[in-house]
Amino acid sequence: MKTLLKIYSAYGLVIFALVFIVLLPFFLLAIFVKPLEKTAGFLNHVWARILFFFLFLNRSKIVYEEKLSRKQRYIFCANHFSFLDIPTMGLINHNFKFIGKSSLRKIPLWGYMYSKLHILVDRNSLRDRHASWVKCKEAVANDYSITFFPEGGILSKNPPELARFKEGSFKIAVEEQIPVVPVTIHNNHLLLPDKKPLIMHRGTISLKVHKPIWPTGTDDFAVHDLMAKVRSIIDEELKLTHHAGR
């Protein structure tokens, strides 16, 4: 069984690369032809669908508590336990930019595309954090939604327990007065655990897109209140599905 899982994991890496290479010309058009930049969100969606289809994870389960408006800007906030979480968020067909770690830039070709179409941040650099903050506000001003992993990376030592949330995404939501959409990714930590060596397992991609939550004010209390609400919603959903054996 371990040998089969290693073969499946190697196959998954090859499929990841091949699907990206096929779509790369379209991503390059989105990078270099400014009017096409906003097709990147749809390309992310196509990439995720094709990737999971060939990984035999295509029977994904996405539950929306409320239909999202195509015209509304949102801050999507999801738990982050696995490297599968980035393509999983692509299953949400909405025009958003990811906020990711600067280390993603090191991935050949894919890192280049990601750094040009999304926003990377070195959390150890105050200057870089400020620059990413400015880019986020510019993206929102240009009618993009934003996707954050508020834990700041794969930091939980015991998923599905959440790590501490960072305030950045919630500050933007309060300053811009736009809603936050909590997203619970149920079991990616079982499909691709954050352990070395990375071994992928068959299963179902499952996520729940919760109702948008609007800020209740414009001060620091509103930021903390929004963060607490989002964390509580995701945490309760994770506990519910964990105990249900999903």
Side-chain angles (χ1 to χ4, degrees), residues 165-176:
F165 275 20
K166 294 177 170 56
E167 296 180 353
S169 52
F170 306 101
K171 285 183 177 179
I172 291 175
V174 167
E175 286 195 10
E176 301 297 327

Side-chain angles (χ1 to χ4, degrees), residues 62-66 68 92 181-183 207-211:
I62 309 174
V63 175
Y64 289 86
E65 286 189 338
E66 182 177 296
L68 301 180
I92 301 173
V181 178
V183 179
L207 66 157
K208 187 170 186 177
V209 182
H210 301 273
K211 294 179 181 178

Side-chain angles (χ1 to χ4, degrees), residues 4-20 46-60 82-88 91 188 191-192 199-205:
L4 289 175
L5 287 176
K6 288 180 180 179
I7 293 172
Y8 177 55
S9 301
Y11 166 80
L13 186 61
V14 170
I15 290 299
F16 177 92
L18 288 177
V19 173
F20 173 68
V46 171
W47 171 59
R49 285 292 186 186
I50 296 175
L51 176 67
F52 291 140
F53 177 82
F54 283 105
L55 291 180
F56 312 109
L57 300 173
N58 55 306
R59 294 184 63 185
S60 54
S82 169
F83 289 111
L84 281 176
D85 295 340
I86 292 176
T88 295
L91 294 173
N188 280 0
L191 302 179
L192 186 61
I199 299 295
M200 193 157 59
H201 303 258
R202 290 284 308 281
T204 301
I205 298 288

